[in-house]
Amino acid sequence: MSMPRVGDPFVEHRNLLFTVAYEILGSAEDAEDVLQESWLRWAAVDQSEVREPRAYLVRIVTRQSLNQLRTMARRREDYVGEWLPEPLLTSPDVADDVELAESLSIAMLTVLETLGPSERAVFVLREVFDVPYDEIADAVGKTPAAVRQISHRAKEHVAARRPRVEVAPSEHEEVVDRLVAALNSGDLQGLMDVLAPDVVSVADGGGKVRGAARHPVVGALRLARYLISGMEKTPGTFVASPMWVNGQPGIRMELDGLLVGVVSLTVEDGRVTQIYSIANPDKLGRVDAEAAVAR
């Protein structure tokens, strides 16, 4: 099998194509599978006949992503507990593109999980990558008029469910630092001070992590006690440290020096309102190497 060459449009747009697939799927592993399949299809066409390679490649990747979503839906039926997206280690520079960072956030990807496959693809292509309606129509196999309706419906759906408060990365980092300090010292009051009273914590252990809550934990006191109790009961030493997760400041959790979880959070008025903890070991393979994302 031939491989993409330098100067090949597939190589030129690879970071964009990965980001499109990842945002439609919420899984870096599945996004890489989609890119591999898309490259095979791209390599098989007469590229001299392709007038707009970027649009053509986005169309291929979108179609393959929709096919992959059907496979993932079958896997999800057997998934134990809450399902969260696969986290990515990203450069702090990603936060400079506010729209890209928001679209990549675990909070946004979790909202996108509530959309149907076509709605999700249309939302991502239109709202994140500003793809024209007629090109989206080609990619998802619908008319431009239908795509406009789907886009409007999906945009309203997402707007009703995503955090409404824009927080500067510096404020987000400051809250992360306070949470890290409280976790590392086992400080119940410190946790209470940084958690919003109605904080909601969702954990994804995939049924493979002892102690990972299979249902959301709600409320600052309940969550603080749950976190401290869990760390005290587990043999070994937990260490929390800041990291950049999906375009936002987040937390890396290690137990005796081994990665055991990645935490993403939403912030409002200087406190944590949502916590997303990904502990399923199958989803932690992408946080030791920086992901190349683009739009």
Side-chain angles (χ1 to χ4, degrees):
M1 182 184 77
S2 63
M3 297 300 291
R5 301 177 306 278
V6 174
D8 188 315
F10 192 94
V11 175
E12 180 186 349
H13 298 299
R14 191 188 190 286
N15 294 349
L16 162 75
L17 299 174
F18 170 81
T19 309
V20 169
Y22 174 72
E23 293 206 12
I24 293 176
L25 298 168
S27 164
E29 182 178 359
D30 287 292
E32 290 289 359
D33 289 344
V34 160
L35 257 60
Q36 189 169 6
E37 183 63 32
S38 297
W39 157 245
L40 293 174
R41 290 171 184 267
W42 169 247
V45 303
D46 182 353
Q47 294 166 21
S48 65
E49 297 291 315
V50 179
R51 288 200 303 269
E52 298 182 22
R54 181 183 185 275
Y56 189 92
L57 288 166
V58 167
R59 185 162 69 245
I60 293 175
V61 165
T62 300
R63 288 175 177 172
Q64 293 305 311
S65 295
L66 287 170
N67 289 340
Q68 191 73 9
L69 272 178
R70 287 188 272 275
T71 301
M72 292 172 69
R74 291 191 290 271
R75 294 204 309 259
R76 297 279 182 82
E77 291 174 3
D78 301 322
Y79 201 79
V80 178
E82 300 283 342
W83 190 97
L84 290 174
E86 181 183 349
L88 301 176
L89 171 65
T90 52
S91 162
D93 295 342
V94 172
D96 294 340
D97 184 338
V98 175
E99 290 183 359
L100 177 61
E102 183 187 12
S103 72
L104 280 170
S105 71
I106 297 294
M108 175 61 88
L109 293 174
T110 302
V111 171
L112 294 185
E113 285 295 316
T114 63
L115 292 172
S118 294
E119 287 180 312
R120 182 167 184 166
V122 168
F123 180 88
V124 167
L125 292 177
R126 184 63 190 166
E127 297 302 318
V128 183
F129 299 96
D130 201 27
V131 176
Y133 288 113
D134 58 341
E135 291 182 21
I136 299 175
D138 284 343
V140 300
K142 298 184 183 295
T143 66
V147 165
R148 284 178 183 273
Q149 288 186 323
I150 293 170
S151 176
H152 178 72
R153 191 166 62 238
K155 191 174 179 180
E156 285 190 336
H157 178 98
V158 171
R161 288 162 178 79
R162 69 180 172 188
R164 292 173 173 79
V165 180
E166 290 187 15
V167 178
S170 57
E171 180 186 345
H172 201 121
E173 279 188 284
E174 191 266 335
V175 172
V176 165
D177 289 343
R178 287 166 56 205
L179 183 56
V180 164
L183 288 169
N184 285 335
S185 61
D187 179 2
L188 179 64
Q189 187 57 52
L191 283 173
M192 293 288 292
D193 290 342
V194 76
L195 299 175
D198 56 352
V199 63
V200 178
S201 175
V202 178
D204 177 348
K208 301 180 179 184
V209 179
R210 186 179 177 185
R214 295 192 179 183
H215 303 285
V217 178
V218 182
L221 180 58
R222 187 176 172 211
L223 177 58
R225 286 176 171 166
Y226 174 81
L227 292 172
I228 290 177
S229 173
M231 290 189 291
E232 288 176 347
K233 289 178 181 177
T234 303
T237 302
F238 275 105
V239 175
S241 57
M243 69 172 286
W244 281 83
V245 183
N246 289 59
Q248 292 185 329
I251 299 173
R252 177 186 178 98
M253 295 296 298
E254 295 184 353
L255 178 62
D256 291 338
L258 297 177
L259 174 67
V260 293
V262 169
V263 179
S264 177
L265 43 92
T266 59
V267 171
E268 187 174 336
D269 296 329
R271 288 189 165 189
V272 178
T273 55
Q274 294 267 358
I275 293 180
Y276 304 95
S277 302
I278 300 101
N280 183 344
D282 295 341
K283 294 186 178 183
L284 299 178
R286 307 274 170 168
V287 294
D288 285 323
E290 206 169 89
V293 294
R295 72 180 182 118

